[in-house]
Amino acid sequence: MTTSPAAWHGPMGGARCCLAGTDDPWRAIARDGGSPMKGMLFLRTGVVLLLVGIVMGMVMGGRHDFTYAPVHAHLNLVGGVLMMVAGLFYNARPDLAGRLVTAHYVSHALGGVLLPIGIYGSIAGTAWAGPVVGSGSVLALLALLLFAINLFRRAPASVTAAALDSASAP
């Protein structure tokens, strides 16, 4: 089983996913032992959420109505930027795989969508907004905690001087 970028196929990157020979990216996530699939899933989800947030900002700017600016900001930052930062990290560290990374993705994706929706409902004065913004906030916090666990507990605690020298070389 290969995990090179050239081997990626399927709905998440070409023809078929190299993981367990499946077209199902969710099954690939569950079975993956260390491929870039998780990082790419974070990146792709983040880009989609960022695109939605940017289009929302453009519409608000065109209308000169910034009532929902907090929705736009949370969608861009929590849903887009933080998701993409995590994707870059997991692409750099494909050895960090498993249930903890999957739980991070699921909680981040749900929180990154529910939080802005709940903020929208709150600004609009709807009755359903409180539970939605609350659950979105808790999921976003859980995602950040899971990311912190992966970053601090599972990634190396120090970087050697040789690695720093090689990274700064032109």
Side-chain angles (χ1 to χ4, degrees):
M1 182 179 329
T2 179
T3 59
S4 69
W8 285 101
H9 309 297
M12 300 305 286
R16 283 182 62 83
C17 180
C18 70
L19 304 171
T22 178
D23 288 328
D24 182 3
W26 295 107
R27 185 171 293 159
I29 290 171
R31 294 183 182 176
D32 183 19
S35 78
M37 183 63 158
K38 287 185 181 78
M40 289 307 295
L41 195 56
F42 274 90
L43 286 167
R44 289 175 178 175
T45 304
V47 164
V48 168
L49 294 174
L50 192 58
L51 284 169
V52 172
I54 288 174
V55 168
M56 181 182 186
M58 292 172 68
V59 170
M60 287 188 309
R63 294 181 178 169
H64 300 285
D65 180 4
F66 300 98
T67 304
Y68 294 103
V71 179
H72 157 75
H74 283 82
L75 187 58
N76 283 348
L77 293 175
V78 176
V81 174
L82 289 177
M83 183 75 86
M84 291 170 59
V85 166
L88 292 172
F89 173 74
Y90 290 127
N91 274 350
R93 292 297 312 273
D95 57 304
L96 296 178
R99 292 182 181 167
L100 200 60
V101 176
T102 302
H104 175 197
Y105 174 78
V106 171
S107 61
H108 198 145
L110 290 173
V113 170
L114 288 177
L115 179 59
I117 289 172
I119 293 170
Y120 174 87
S122 180
I123 293 169
T126 63
W128 53 262
V132 174
V133 76
S135 60
S137 297
V138 169
L139 286 167
L141 178 61
L142 174 64
L144 184 57
L145 290 172
L146 292 170
F147 186 49
I149 290 169
N150 278 325
L151 183 64
F152 290 108
R153 282 187 61 207
R154 298 181 70 201
S158 64
V159 177
T160 65
L164 288 174
D165 290 339
S166 67
S168 64

